[in-house]
Amino acid sequence: MLTNKILVPVGFSEQSLAALKQACLIAKIKKSEVIILSVIEEQSKISGLLIDNPFEEIRNKVKDKLDEISVMHSSKFSVKVDSMVASGKIYEQIVEVSSMINANLIVMGTNGSPRGVIKKFIGSNAERVVRLSNIPVITIKENTSTENFDNIILPLDLGKETKEKVTFAIEYARYWNSTIRIVSVFLKDNINEKNILIKNLNQVSNFISNAGIKCTSELIEGEKKQSLGDFVINYEKNFDSDLIIIMTKKEELALSNNLSVTARYIIHNSKIPVMSIKPKPRKFITSPTTAF
């Protein structure tokens, strides 16, 4: 029997421990196992020569701390929690370990928007994991957690991939008896786009309702001066929402590892958890769309 596994990278920051708490709450209702992972970044060869077995010493201390955290969270949330220590580049090890243990979800903290020109270009470890992971990633920015995802925001756009996240929305809505709130935005006077979005909203809304899930849908006229990321973040506040589910890329970027501007903005600025889903590769690339 396959076990659901949630991987939680822990760097002992407030955000990573908040992510661990949220992961345990999710694991409890999903009947999942939680694996917490700390990654020790590789030291230079010169520093390694100056200290006897520095990696082993650090690794043992980190593992002891992780074991302590594992026991505490396992007892508190009544879920199985194991721990692992790896070495290397943080984001690479997170993605590699998630594949190795057959995890089906990653939950991790993020410190918000990277600062500085170089960091904006390179991105944070959380952003890199979102870009490279083939399984859903839930990012947690604030030091908060919730036991119930009562309201799930599901933005829809014109892209074909945007509907891939509907299955995940339904899965998570069933765990908490959530209401899925579908929303699309169009610019004034773009009648063709509006009609297509109405069709998409109706199709997805009917699909979700037929699955026995509570659902609302709304098409809103947006303004050019407001970014799509701002629109989604402001919209979720209307419902005291608990989770936003987005796709990570534009359709024309389906064969690359880049994030859309909208996805990046939402991940770094949302105060509630964001589930990012990487679209499946497509053989044929169609006209550009905005990734939600």
Side-chain angles (χ1 to χ4, degrees):
M1 179 179 178
L2 293 176
T3 303
N4 289 326
K5 293 181 180 179
I6 301 175
L7 180 66
V8 186
V10 171
F12 307 107
S13 66
E14 286 188 10
Q15 285 85 357
S16 66
L17 293 177
L20 175 57
K21 180 179 179 181
Q22 185 65 74
C24 288
L25 289 169
I26 294 172
K28 188 170 184 178
I29 196 165
K30 284 188 65 176
K31 303 188 186 311
S32 300
E33 177 182 346
V34 175
I35 310 293
I36 57 177
L37 169 71
S38 278
V39 180
I40 303 172
E41 294 190 87
E42 295 174 332
Q43 294 181 312
S44 68
K45 291 182 179 179
I46 294 177
S47 64
L49 292 173
L50 300 177
I51 308 173
D52 293 333
N53 261 339
F55 174 76
E56 284 303 316
E57 183 179 340
I58 295 171
R59 182 190 181 283
N60 291 337
K61 288 182 179 179
V62 171
K63 187 65 167 66
D64 288 344
K65 183 64 177 176
L66 288 181
D67 288 344
E68 180 184 325
I69 292 173
S70 298
V71 171
M72 180 177 68
H73 283 74
S74 179
S75 174
K76 182 176 181 178
F77 296 99
S78 299
V79 297
K80 183 178 180 182
V81 183
D82 284 328
S83 64
M84 295 178 63
V85 178
S87 65
K89 291 183 178 179
I90 294 174
Y91 67 94
E92 288 182 349
Q93 288 302 309
I94 293 170
V95 174
E96 186 176 318
V97 170
S98 71
S99 177
M100 181 180 71
I101 66 173
N102 292 317
N104 43 35
L105 177 66
I106 298 172
V107 180
M108 65 185 300
T110 174
N111 292 325
S113 299
R115 299 180 183 276
V117 176
I118 294 178
K119 287 188 177 180
K120 283 184 180 179
F121 176 75
I122 296 175
S124 66
N125 282 308
E127 182 178 311
R128 287 176 171 183
V129 171
V130 168
R131 285 195 287 113
L132 299 174
S133 175
N134 289 319
I135 62 175
V137 179
I138 294 180
T139 47
I140 310 286
K141 179 185 176 186
E142 299 291 313
N143 187 18
T144 58
S145 57
T146 178
E147 292 188 24
N148 301 296
F149 289 164
D150 293 324
N151 288 287
I152 297 174
I153 301 298
L154 191 69
L156 290 185
D157 62 18
L158 299 175
K160 293 180 180 178
E161 288 114 336
T162 193
K163 295 180 182 179
E164 291 180 24
K165 63 178 177 276
V166 175
T167 302
F168 291 98
I170 290 174
E171 176 189 349
Y172 278 75
R174 282 189 172 135
Y175 293 135
W176 288 277
N177 193 27
S178 314
T179 298
I180 297 176
R181 301 192 181 277
I182 314 168
V183 61
S184 290
V185 59
F186 71 98
L187 296 178
K188 187 177 180 180
D189 299 328
N190 195 333
I191 302 302
N192 183 52
E193 180 180 285
K194 179 179 179 180
N195 290 335
I196 296 174
L197 286 171
I198 290 173
K199 181 180 178 181
N200 282 356
L201 280 172
N202 289 337
Q203 285 179 342
V204 174
S205 180
N206 289 335
F207 183 78
I208 292 173
S209 296
N210 289 337
I213 304 298
K214 292 177 290 185
C215 177
T216 67
S217 62
E218 192 168 359
L219 179 63
I220 298 177
E221 183 178 308
E223 299 179 9
K224 289 185 179 180
K225 64 181 180 180
Q226 184 181 32
S227 73
L228 293 174
D230 273 330
F231 171 82
V232 173
I233 288 174
N234 288 334
Y235 185 80
E236 66 86 2
K237 295 175 183 177
N238 296 330
F239 306 100
D240 192 24
S241 304
D242 307 290
L243 180 69
I244 300 173
I245 301 183
I246 63 172
M247 304 300 288
T248 59
K249 303 176 189 173
K250 292 183 179 180
E251 189 167 352
E252 71 271 21
L253 299 177
L255 300 181
S256 76
N257 284 323
N258 293 321
L259 289 180
S260 75
V261 173
T262 301
R264 178 181 287 111
Y265 185 87
I266 293 172
I267 290 166
H268 287 311
N269 291 281
S270 174
K271 293 184 180 297
I272 66 172
V274 177
M275 176 184 281
S276 300
I277 298 166
K278 186 176 182 178
K280 297 175 183 176
R282 294 177 181 273
K283 293 183 179 179
F284 302 100
I285 302 174
T286 59
S287 58
T289 62
T290 301
F292 264 148

